[in-house]
Structures are given as structure tokens and as C-alpha cells.
């Protein structure tokens, strides 16, 4: 009876956590053939633990206090790994004093070197080839950390996003399932506070992260085939020196966030609060991303002030999720999303089979809000686009819903929604019986060129160039503009210098008044988008001969001047 009383509170707490996170939809339907299936945990270990990692303050290596004590429901000690002493590991930079402090953990814990460390640092199957290092490693069992404290901690970490430099305060790997309740994390400088690798699972509830600095993902970096659940938690002033101010999500990870707030986060490059890449799936439910920033005005390719999703299988913004007051020094002030791209470089973090992945599915519920975000500056593709969201190639989404939820955003181009240009058309696409007039008012050929992106969104602020040559075909063109039956369209020379250029307006339309003074015959006008030579539209123009009552100009045979009042030309074209 005594044993049953001792187990009941722990079991009840674990059951409560399971019920809370079961409210979020399962990701089984999102699985892709290119992702490694998750292995079921083999350990029967279950324990409730307390943790304190208190450092000496920013720029000061060492620990003021380290304590980890556990109470196992199965009577087993919890195996943990501690900072690596490998000469190839960044943790080797840590002082001997700090490593000695880590040896002095509390009750119910056994230091399992190198077993736990090897399980956690091992590359994830089919995903990352590089390890993640940390002060403490959890590698097996169901562990609940109640009210853990991590603060004033300084760890050596790299200023680039290479995985061999990843140094976390706590690493969850192997088949461990760690539930964190009531965490208080303040003033931590490391690659990330919690690193999640292999098939491990981490859940955070009622937790607060403040003033964390890392790279990538100052609060949590999850990768491989791991699982992350976050509920009722706050992330404030998280900063990354590269990607993902608060969270970095890679590999085939499955992430669900609900009832949480990300406030004032920033990244020197992309993903002010979230950075998502490769084949991950992410759902944000009733979550707010506010006042976050991607880029510092100096780094290139700074995109996604709130969220950067450069790949992934699924991105859901549901149940009143709000993305407001975010800023990107590039495209996608609130959100930047594009589908998985081919990837063959397996020396870098990621899944090499991304080229076989399906398109990224972006789902936005009608009660979500994307508003008052801002995209500034630009990159190699030109001025920034999509103050609210930029939706790039290889994705699917509902245009009507996205159009409804994205309002009152600002950007140099496409204030609310920016997309990759995909269709260029011209109206009219054929003109017959045309003759130019010599004066400015009558001499132009007026056309409208429309540029649209995915979902039918207008692509404004793009330069449209018009090209044509001065060679007509040999077919005869009658006075009425008609052509003989045996005529054919002239072969056009490749475009060189554009004859006219006009930018598309906010509706994606460029109104062009072509100064078209070509001789009688059939001509082809080609319209191209600046920087996107694959997009083109053609206009066929049949220039007629001058009629009676018109005078053909000697140096411009395609120009027909109307005879002055009081005179008349009885011979056609003379």
C-alpha cells in the first residue's frame, strides 16, 4: 500500500501532461516517406526530477550551483550524461572545475558515461550526421522536470549554424521523453537551452524563457525525428546570432505549440521567433508572435520577421493564432514560407532526401490574424515583398483564407501577401489593322500586362520589359490589315535592349504605351519580367498599309499621317 501511495502523484502528473498535449492533432497523417519513423521507447524508467543550473553570469564560465535529483517510480536511478571531455567536442573548452561541479549531482541520479553521452551525441538515423553537445544529457526513460531553474549561464558556442558547434545546456536524446513543467530560464548564453535530437520527446508547459541568446534557436533546437510540445509558455527577448530567435526546428521534427506567446525575439538572419527547415511539421494553435525581427539591416537573406519556414511538410496557423508587429529586413515581415528544395549536401544539418518530399502544406484558419507586420529593404531578388507573408514556391494554401487574414501590413512590394511570380499575360494579345500616328497622343499602342503569382495574388513593383525588332515578314498586308493565305509570322531576333519598360502596380498590372513605328507586316512583341527570363508573354501586331486619305512618312513607313483638312490623297499611301 505504501508503494502505491508513493507512485500515484507521479502517475497522475504524467497522465495530466498526456491529456493536455493530446488536444493537439496527431501528426501521423503528415508523415512523409523521406522521414524516419519514430521508435517506441524501450525503457520502463519513469521519474520526477528537480533541476538547478545557475551560472556566474554573462561572459563568466562556471557554475554557482548545479543540482539534479530524481525520484523514480520504478526504483531505478536516472542515467544522465555530463559535459564531454572529447578533444573534438566544443565542451572540452569547459574548465576542469565546471566538469567537476557536474559530477556532484543529487540523489536518484547515476552518471552514465559514456553510455548516455554516446546515445545522445550519435547522429540521428537518416537525418543529422553531426552530434549535439551539452552540459547534461537525458537519453532514456520518461522524465518529468518540475520547476527547473536555468539562469545566468554562459557556455562557449559558435557564431555560425554548423551543427558540430551546437552546445546546449540540456540535451534530450536517444529515446528519452522529458516533460518540463514550470521552467524558469533567464539570461542563458549557449547554442540553445534545450536541444532535442534523435527520436527524443520534449514537452514544455507553464514555462518562461527570458533573455536567451543562442544559435540556432536560443530556447529550443529540435532536429532529427524528434517531438516537441509547448503549452502555456512565454518566450521573451530570445536572440539568435543566425537563425530562429526562440525556436529552431529541423529534420523530420514534429512540433506543436498552443496557448503561448513569443515576444520581442530576434535573429540576425532569418526567423525572428521561429526557424523551420527541411521536413519538419509545425502547428501553432492560439499562439501569438509579436514584435519580433529578422535581420539587422546588414545580413543578406533576412526573411520571416515572425516565422521563417524554408521547407517543411506542414505549417498550421490555427485557432486564433496572431502574427503582429513583426519586421523583416527582407521578404515576409510576418511569415516567410517556401517548400522543400532539393538537398544533397549531407555534411550540413538536414535530411538529404528532401528532393523527394511533397510540397509544404500551409493551413491558416479564418480566425487567425496576420497584421501590422513590415518588410523593409531587399535582397538579390530586389525590394522586399510580402509585409504580412511571403508564400514561395513548392507550397499549397487556401488563397481566399490567406487574403482574408492578412491585412494592414507594409512592404515595398505587395504589402499584405507576396508570392513568386508565376504567370504573365498581355491584353490584347493580338492587334490587327494597326497603323501608328505621328503625334504623341495617337502614336502609341496601349497594352496591359498582368503579372500574377501563386493563388492569383498580384505581383506589384516588378519591371516589365517589351522587346521587338524592326523586321517585318514578306507577306503582303492589305489596306484593311488582312493577310494573304500564304503568309507566315516573321522569325524574331532574340531580345537585346528593351524598347519600353514599365513597373506593375499594386494590382500586378503594367499599363504600357508602346511607341510602335514598324513597317507593314506582322510583328511579335515579347514581354519579359526583369530577373525572371522564364516568364514571358507575346503580342502579335499586324501593321497595315496606309489608306486613301492618309500619307505614309518616308522615314517611318509604319506611320500613316492623316491628310490635313482641305486636302485629300487619292493614291493609297502616297
Amino acid at each position: 500500500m505504501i508503494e502505491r501511495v508513493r507512485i500515484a502523484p507521479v502517475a497522475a502528473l504524467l497522465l495530466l501532461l498526456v491529456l493536455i498535449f493530446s488536444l493537439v492533432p496527431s501528426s501521423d497523417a503528415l508523415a512523409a516517406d523521406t522521414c524516419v519513423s519514430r521508435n517506441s521507447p524501450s525503457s520502463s524508467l519513469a521519474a520526477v526530477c528537480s533541476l538547478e543550473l545557475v551560472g556566474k553570469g554573462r561572459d563568466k564560465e562556471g557554475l554557482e550551483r548545479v543540482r539534479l535529483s530524481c525520484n523514480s517510480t520504478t526504483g531505478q536511478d536516472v542515467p544522465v550524461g555530463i559535459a564531454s571531455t572529447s578533444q573534438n567536442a566544443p565542451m572540452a573548452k569547459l574548465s576542469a572545475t565546471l566538469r567537476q561541479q557536474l559530477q556532484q549531482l543529487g540523489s536518484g541520479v547515476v552518471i552514465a558515461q559514456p553510455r548516455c553521452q554516446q546515445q545522445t551525441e550519435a547522429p540521428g538515423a537518416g537525418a543529422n550526421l553531426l552530434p549535439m553537445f551539452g552540459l547534461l544529457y537525458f537519453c532514456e526513460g520518461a522524465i518529468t522536470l518540475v520547476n527547473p531553474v536555468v539562469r545566468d549561464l554562459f557556455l562557449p558556442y559558435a557564431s555560425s549554424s554548423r551543427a558540430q558547434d551546437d552546445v546546449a545546456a540540456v540535451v534530450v536524446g536517444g529515446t528519452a521523453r522529458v516533460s518540463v513543467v514550470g521552467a524558469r530560464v533567464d539570461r542563458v548564453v549557449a547554442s540553445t537551452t534545450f536541444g532535442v535530437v534523435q527520436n527524443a520527446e520534449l514537452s514544455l508547459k507553464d514555462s518562461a524563457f527570458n533573455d536567451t541568446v543562442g544559435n540556432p534557436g536560443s530556447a529550443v533546437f529540435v532536429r532529427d525525428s524528434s517531438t516537441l510540445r509547448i503549452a502555456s509558455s512565454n518566450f521573451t527577448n530570445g536572440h539568435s546570432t543566425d537563425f530562429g530567435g526562440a525556436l529552431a526546428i529541423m529534420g523530420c521534427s514534429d512540433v506543436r505549440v498552443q496557448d503561448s506567446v513569443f515576444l520581442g525575439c530576434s535573429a540576425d538572419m532569418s526567423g525572428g521567433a521561429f526557424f523551420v527547415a527541411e521536413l519538419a511539421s509545425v502547428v501553432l494553435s492560439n499562439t501569438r508572435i509579436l514584435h519580433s525581427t529578422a535581420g539587422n539591416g546588414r545580413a543578406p537573406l533576412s526573411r520571416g520577421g515572425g516565422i521563417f519556414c524554408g521547407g517543411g511538410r506542414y505549417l498550421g496557423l490555427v485557432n486564433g493564432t496572431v502574427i503582429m508587429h513583426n519586421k523583416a529586413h527582407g521578404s515576409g515581415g510576418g511569415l516567410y514560407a517556401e517548400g522543400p528544395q532539393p538537398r544533397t549536401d549531407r555534411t550540413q544539418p538536414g535530411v538529404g532526401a528532401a528532393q523527394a518530399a511533397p510540397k509544404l502544406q500551409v493551413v491558416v484558419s479564418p480566425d487567425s490574424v496576420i497584421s501590422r507586420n513590415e518588410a523593409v529593404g531587399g535582397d538579390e531578388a530586389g525590394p522586399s515583398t510580402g509585409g504580412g507573408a511571403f508564400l514561395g514556391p513548392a507550397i499549397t494554401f487556401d488563397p481566399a483564407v490567406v487574403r482574408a487574414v492578412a491585412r494592414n501590413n507594409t512592404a515595398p512590394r505587395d504589402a499584405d501577401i507576396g508570392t513568386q511570380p508565376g504567370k504573365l499575360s498581355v491584353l490584347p494579345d493580338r492587334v490587327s489593322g494597326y497603323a501608328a500616328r505621328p503625334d504623341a497622343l495617337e502614336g502609341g499602342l496601349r497594352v496591359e500586362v498582368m503579372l500574377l503569382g501563386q493563388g492569383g495574388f498580384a505581383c506589384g513593383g516588378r519591371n516589365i520589359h517589351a522587346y521587338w525588332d524592326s523586321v517585318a515578314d514578306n507577306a503582303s498586308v492589305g489596306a484593311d490589315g488582312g493577310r494573304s493565305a500564304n503568309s507566315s509570322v516573321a522569325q524574331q531576333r532574340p531580345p537585346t535592349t528593351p524598347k519600353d519598360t514599365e513597373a506593375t502596380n499594386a494590382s500586378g498590372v503594367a499599363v504600357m504605351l508602346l511607341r510602335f513605328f514598324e513597317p507593314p507586316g506582322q510583328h511579335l512583341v515579347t514581354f519579359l519580367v526583369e530577373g525572371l527570363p522564364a516568364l514571358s508573354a507575346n503580342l502579335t501586331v499586324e501593321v497595315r498599309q496606309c489608306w486613301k486619305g492618309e500619307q505614309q512618312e518616308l522615314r517611318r513607313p509604319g506611320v500613316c499621317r492623316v491628310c490635313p483638312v482641305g486636302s485629300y490623297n487619292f493614291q493609297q499611301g502616297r
Side-chain angles (χ1 to χ4, degrees):
M1 178 64 67
I2 294 176
E3 183 179 1
R4 291 178 65 184
V5 171
R6 176 171 171 260
I7 293 176
V10 175
L13 178 59
L14 294 176
L15 178 60
L16 176 61
L17 291 172
V18 170
L19 290 175
I20 289 171
F21 290 108
S22 66
L23 297 176
V24 182
S26 171
S27 63
D28 293 343
L30 305 177
D33 294 339
T34 52
C35 284
V36 179
S37 60
R38 294 176 175 82
N39 299 322
S40 58
S42 58
S43 174
S44 61
L45 173 65
V48 176
C49 303
S50 61
L51 170 67
E52 278 189 287
L53 280 176
V54 181
K56 297 182 178 181
R58 188 167 296 221
D59 300 327
K60 295 179 181 179
E61 183 187 323
L63 295 172
E64 288 287 346
R65 184 166 63 258
V66 55
R67 183 175 66 87
L68 174 64
S69 59
C70 298
N71 182 11
S72 172
T73 62
T74 58
Q76 302 170 267
D77 288 338
V78 174
V80 296
I82 61 173
S84 172
T85 57
S86 168
Q87 294 301 311
N88 295 325
M91 299 308 291
K93 300 175 184 177
L94 294 176
S95 66
T97 301
L98 191 151
R99 285 197 292 269
Q100 184 178 4
Q101 289 175 311
L102 291 172
Q103 297 278 354
Q104 302 170 4
L105 299 176
S107 61
V109 178
V110 59
I111 297 176
Q113 297 284 89
R115 175 169 63 95
C116 196
Q117 175 189 319
Q118 288 175 343
Q119 288 184 40
T120 308
E121 291 183 358
N128 251 291
L129 299 182
L130 299 169
M132 180 182 289
F133 305 102
L135 283 183
L136 295 176
Y137 300 78
F138 292 97
C139 61
E140 62 182 69
I143 311 298
T144 301
L145 296 177
V146 179
N147 300 328
V149 174
V150 183
R151 62 179 174 85
D152 298 314
L153 193 62
F154 174 78
L155 299 177
Y157 76 108
S159 60
S160 69
S161 58
R162 295 173 299 168
Q164 60 262 39
D165 295 325
D166 291 337
V167 180
V170 178
V171 176
V172 181
T175 58
R177 294 164 293 158
V178 176
S179 299
V180 178
V181 181
R184 294 298 178 264
V185 178
D186 297 284
R187 300 175 298 279
V188 174
V189 179
S191 281
T192 189
T193 303
F194 286 94
V196 191
V197 294
Q198 285 93 43
N199 294 325
E201 300 178 11
L202 172 67
S203 66
L204 301 171
K205 183 178 183 298
D206 295 330
S207 298
F209 291 74
N210 301 295
D211 300 314
T212 53
V213 178
N215 166 47
S218 67
V220 183
F221 177 22
V222 54
R223 68 180 207 201
D224 303 331
S225 294
S226 303
T227 300
L228 174 65
R229 297 290 184 265
I230 299 175
S232 304
S233 297
N234 296 329
F235 299 79
T236 305
N237 297 334
H239 177 71
S240 171
T241 54
D242 265 4
F243 306 103
L247 270 59
I249 304 161
M250 302 177 72
C252 290
S253 302
D254 176 27
V255 176
R256 301 291 183 269
V257 182
Q258 65 182 37
D259 305 328
S260 297
V261 177
F262 295 79
L263 175 64
C265 298
S266 60
D268 285 349
M269 297 189 72
S270 293
F274 282 75
F275 178 83
V276 184
E278 296 162 352
L279 297 178
S281 63
V282 179
V283 175
L284 307 183
S285 175
N286 190 33
T287 291
R288 285 160 172 74
I289 302 175
L290 309 170
H291 298 284
S292 295
T293 304
N296 50 25
R298 299 185 300 273
L301 302 180
S302 300
R303 299 167 177 171
I307 302 172
F308 174 90
C309 188
R313 294 173 292 156
Y314 186 93
L315 175 63
L317 308 176
V318 299
N319 296 332
T321 289
V322 174
I323 302 176
M324 289 185 69
H325 301 293
N326 302 289
K327 181 178 180 179
H329 289 269
S331 294
L335 164 67
Y336 182 99
E338 63 181 15
Q341 302 298 311
R343 185 188 182 106
T344 57
D345 181 7
R346 297 183 63 85
T347 65
Q348 296 294 321
V351 180
Q355 61 270 22
K359 291 183 177 181
L360 167 65
Q361 184 180 358
V362 178
V363 174
V364 181
S365 64
D367 57 355
S368 295
V369 177
I370 302 176
S371 182
R372 302 189 184 281
N373 302 287
E374 182 182 12
V376 299
D379 50 34
E380 79 286 351
S384 298
T385 179
F390 178 84
L391 303 175
I395 71 174
T396 62
F397 60 92
D398 187 329
V401 175
V402 172
R403 194 185 306 273
V405 303
R407 299 290 180 88
N408 302 317
N409 302 281
T410 59
R413 301 188 302 194
D414 307 327
D416 286 319
I417 301 296
T419 58
Q420 183 76 15
K423 180 181 180 181
L424 186 68
S425 59
V426 57
L427 288 175
D429 60 2
R430 187 178 188 89
V431 175
S432 300
Y434 175 78
R437 299 303 188 192
D439 58 77
L441 294 178
E442 295 183 286
L445 175 59
R446 187 183 187 279
V447 296
E448 293 186 1
V449 185
M450 177 174 288
L451 180 61
L452 299 178
Q454 189 173 359
F457 286 101
C459 297
R462 274 77 168 182
N463 285 334
I464 307 296
H465 300 304
Y467 301 85
W468 66 87
D469 64 14
S470 299
V471 179
D473 62 12
N474 295 322
S476 61
V477 178
D480 60 353
R483 298 173 51 80
S484 61
N486 60 355
S487 63
S488 60
V489 178
Q491 295 295 320
Q492 301 292 302
R493 291 192 294 266
T496 53
T497 302
K499 299 294 184 68
D500 201 353
T501 298
E502 192 68 43
T504 56
N505 58 24
S507 299
V509 176
V511 179
M512 309 183 77
L513 191 65
L514 306 179
R515 306 296 292 173
F516 196 83
F517 302 117
E518 301 303 323
Q522 184 163 294
H523 302 265
L524 189 67
V525 181
T526 299
F527 300 90
L528 298 177
V529 183
E530 186 175 291
L532 296 172
L535 287 181
S536 65
N538 293 323
L539 164 65
T540 301
V541 182
E542 291 183 348
V543 180
R544 63 173 174 80
Q545 297 177 357
C546 295
W547 296 334
K548 293 180 179 180
E550 296 176 338
Q551 182 181 9
Q552 178 177 301
E553 292 195 354
L554 295 178
R555 296 185 179 182
R556 295 189 295 180
V559 176
C560 297
R561 181 187 299 274
V562 178
C563 293
V565 177
S567 63
Y568 188 80
N569 179 19
F570 291 94
Q571 298 185 21
Q572 179 175 315
R574 294 184 64 184

